[in-house]
Amino acid sequence: MKKILWLSCLLLLAPLAQAQTKVEDVKTLTLNNGMKVIVLEDHSIPNANMYLFWKVGSRNERPGITGLSHFFEHMMFNGAKKYGPKMFDRVMEANGGSNNAYTTEDVTVYTDWFPSSSIEVMFDLEADRIGALNISSKMLESERGVVLSERSTGLENSNFQSLQAQLKSTAFFAHAYRWPVIGYESDIKQWAKKDLEDYFKTYYAPNNCVVVIVGDVTLAQVKKLSAKYFEPIPGNTPPAKVRTVEPPQNGEKRVVVHKKISSPNVALAYHVPSTSSQDYYALDMLSSILSSGNSSRLRKSLIFDQQVASAIFTYMPQSFDPNLFYLYGVAARNITPEKLEAAMLAEIEKIKEKGVTDFELQKTKNQKLMRFYQQMETINGKANSIGTYELFFGSYTKLFNAPKLYENVTKEDIQRVAKKYFIKTNRTVGYLLSPEKKGKSK
């Protein structure tokens, strides 16, 4: 009965979302300075969203300046020529808006949500910090302390981050994905003002940014405001491409990290292709089959049936270059990391040998389609999805093919990618252990 109800909800949502947004509704313009602006009119509510996707993340850094991408996430809120320190937030909030930002290995994204009547103020605010950011020594020192504190707190509070940082640095031999997005502590302490100025000049030129605006706006309005505020900001020579390609991993790697914890944590990481790969959809569905919901493979077997784990999840970041597929588990009471690892590997082997069931395949397709349509129901979801597909999948137009591409995934596809990527020589294993409870090393 639940399955029938779930499918009924899906069938009701699908035509609704599709009727609301079509690929031809999305319009694009490229300014003379190279900035690409993508516009989707949606007059369902009197609000709008502006997303600025900067094509810069930790993969663009090098040893000595690691963490700079994330640092600019902070600096961009600390004052420019027209709007001084802290004024970006104050002016935006006074006009009814709010904002946020995040940094990944590949991108830095700034998000603005506001009443559509305030759109010109938002253009003015963004243009000010893009064109005339104040990189002062005083602000550098102030924010350096904030970021060092954030780094320390994040590693102290998150067992996953503590283990992932070491796991990445072990799994990646050459590629820049090997260092943490927040950067190394020694680098953070030694960034120079010139490092910031050079980095900003290189990566924050308008031609390195894709702007997505969705909401109660018109294309003509966005064209006019883009020409007035963004187009006068000069472009720059496109940043050099990341040339390093991670060589194949030809043997299992292992790492043990010690931290005061109550129960051992185990992580498995497998190299997988970039998000633009044809295998992305099968891998994404495999991730859900393994850990999405209480009836998923890992949660049902390891937490409820065998009771060897108290928590478990999988994670595969969207990325420009080949990255890692993570399986992460927390051992249940009195369970050794070796036993948990063996149970995790056994579930992987079951899929490699016997594949997945028809029910698992259909359930996961329903989950993916439901999430897609839920995302496309809001202006925020539309803006984020359009930008994500433009950067990670090659074009925003591919967003509209996503339901079909998920629907086309077969049981054989999922078994094939499991066999192809989940192999021992492509695996890095990490243990997070309390110093008093060291596990055996294999």
Side-chain angles (χ1 to χ4, degrees):
M1 181 62 74
K2 286 183 178 177
K3 183 180 178 184
I4 294 172
L5 181 61
W6 183 256
L7 286 170
S8 299
C9 292
L10 185 62
L11 291 171
L12 287 172
L13 274 174
L16 177 63
Q18 287 175 328
Q20 288 180 334
T21 305
K22 301 183 289 294
V23 65
E24 55 266 31
D25 296 331
V26 182
K27 308 298 181 186
T28 66
L29 54 142
T30 302
L31 309 184
N32 290 334
N33 57 18
M35 177 181 273
K36 185 171 185 177
V37 182
I38 304 176
V39 185
L40 173 60
E41 295 187 23
D42 182 335
H43 304 285
S44 55
I45 57 174
N47 293 343
N49 287 41
M50 179 188 290
Y51 273 62
L52 293 96
F53 290 85
W54 291 93
K55 291 178 270 188
V56 56
S58 57
R59 73 192 274 277
N60 300 103
E61 300 159 1
R62 55 176 169 74
I65 62 166
T66 63
L68 271 189
S69 305
H70 169 258
F71 189 65
F72 271 103
E73 182 191 315
H74 288 247
M75 288 294 289
M76 291 293 278
F77 292 93
N78 281 318
K81 184 177 180 180
K82 182 175 179 179
Y83 297 100
K86 312 302 179 187
M87 291 305 293
F88 188 93
D89 285 341
R90 292 174 187 171
V91 172
M92 182 169 286
E93 289 168 6
N95 283 273
S98 60
N99 62 72
N100 209 337
Y102 62 87
T103 309
T104 73
E105 293 163 332
D106 299 279
V107 296
T108 307
V109 182
Y110 299 87
T111 59
D112 303 326
W113 308 287
F114 50 89
S116 51
S117 57
S118 301
I119 187 171
E120 183 157 4
V121 176
M122 304 306 149
F123 268 89
D124 193 20
L125 284 166
E126 289 292 355
D128 185 42
R129 66 179 181 177
I130 297 170
L133 185 70
N134 179 20
I135 304 176
S136 69
S137 298
K138 181 181 177 182
M139 196 58 70
L140 166 60
E141 295 310 318
S142 173
E143 285 302 321
R144 192 198 304 271
V146 173
V147 172
L148 280 169
S149 177
E150 182 180 338
R151 185 184 191 282
S152 176
T153 304
L155 291 177
E156 287 176 4
N157 293 341
S158 171
N159 293 339
F160 173 67
Q161 285 190 32
S162 298
L163 182 53
Q164 188 203 25
Q166 297 289 336
L167 197 69
K168 282 175 53 172
S169 67
T170 304
F172 284 107
F173 172 75
H175 193 276
Y177 286 157
R178 71 181 185 272
W179 51 72
V181 172
I182 201 167
Y184 296 130
E185 182 178 359
S186 58
D187 288 350
I188 296 171
K189 289 180 175 176
Q190 297 184 67
W191 294 327
K193 183 169 176 283
K194 189 174 186 308
D195 293 329
L196 271 68
E197 292 169 341
D198 291 345
Y199 204 76
F200 185 77
K201 183 180 179 182
T202 302
Y203 294 106
Y204 275 79
N207 49 305
N208 201 41
C209 181
V210 174
V211 180
V212 182
I213 302 174
V214 178
D216 187 26
V217 299
T218 65
L219 177 62
Q221 189 180 21
V222 172
K223 279 184 177 178
K224 180 181 177 182
L225 292 173
S226 297
K228 179 178 179 180
Y229 289 98
F230 288 161
E231 203 157 47
I233 304 169
N236 200 357
T237 304
K241 292 184 178 179
V242 174
R243 293 181 292 190
T244 303
V245 176
E246 181 67 19
Q249 182 172 321
N250 294 320
E252 185 185 59
K253 299 179 183 178
R254 288 184 167 266
V255 61
V256 176
V257 182
H258 289 153
K259 180 176 182 280
K260 191 172 183 180
I261 54 176
S262 59
S263 188
N265 289 205
V266 175
L268 312 177
Y270 295 90
H271 290 277
V272 290
S274 66
T275 300
S276 61
S277 162
Q278 293 183 343
D279 285 343
Y280 172 81
Y281 290 93
L283 284 165
D284 189 38
M285 290 183 62
L286 174 56
S287 178
S288 296
I289 288 170
L290 286 169
S291 70
S292 179
N294 288 339
S295 62
S296 60
R297 288 280 179 121
L298 292 176
R299 289 182 62 82
K300 181 179 183 303
S301 175
L302 274 60
I303 295 178
F304 301 110
D305 295 344
Q306 300 184 58
Q307 300 183 9
V308 295
S310 61
I312 200 153
F313 67 88
T314 56
Y315 169 60
M316 183 179 66
Q318 292 175 333
S319 61
F320 291 165
D321 299 324
N323 210 319
L324 298 172
F325 187 116
Y326 298 89
L327 296 90
Y328 193 91
V330 179
R333 188 176 181 183
N334 297 325
I335 297 298
T336 66
E338 289 84 0
K339 186 168 184 177
L340 175 57
E341 178 192 346
M344 295 164 74
L345 292 174
E347 292 302 321
I348 291 173
E349 290 305 313
K350 286 180 186 174
I351 292 181
K352 290 167 66 176
E353 292 173 9
K354 300 180 180 178
V356 299
T357 66
D358 290 330
F359 177 78
E360 287 176 313
L361 183 71
Q362 190 57 54
K363 182 188 74 171
T364 306
K365 287 182 177 180
N366 294 345
Q367 289 174 340
K368 294 298 178 186
L369 293 175
M370 180 67 80
R371 184 176 179 186
F372 174 83
Y373 293 127
Q374 286 174 334
Q375 279 277 97
M376 295 299 286
E377 281 294 297
T378 66
I379 57 174
N380 181 61
K382 290 175 184 176
N384 189 35
S385 298
I386 288 171
T388 297
Y389 270 78
E390 176 70 15
L391 268 70
F392 288 98
F393 293 82
S395 170
Y396 70 87
T397 60
K398 295 183 179 180
L399 167 67
F400 298 89
N401 294 328
K404 183 179 179 183
L405 292 172
Y406 277 117
E407 185 59 37
N408 288 345
V409 174
T410 65
K411 291 190 297 182
E412 290 73 23
D413 290 328
I414 293 173
Q415 188 175 21
R416 176 182 58 78
V417 296
K419 285 182 176 180
K420 182 176 181 180
Y421 301 111
F422 289 0
I423 56 176
K424 184 175 181 179
T425 55
N426 190 38
R427 180 170 71 218
T428 302
V429 181
Y431 282 6
L432 183 66
L433 306 175
S434 188
E436 296 81 10
K437 298 178 181 177
K438 297 180 182 178
K440 298 176 183 177
S441 297
K442 288 185 176 180

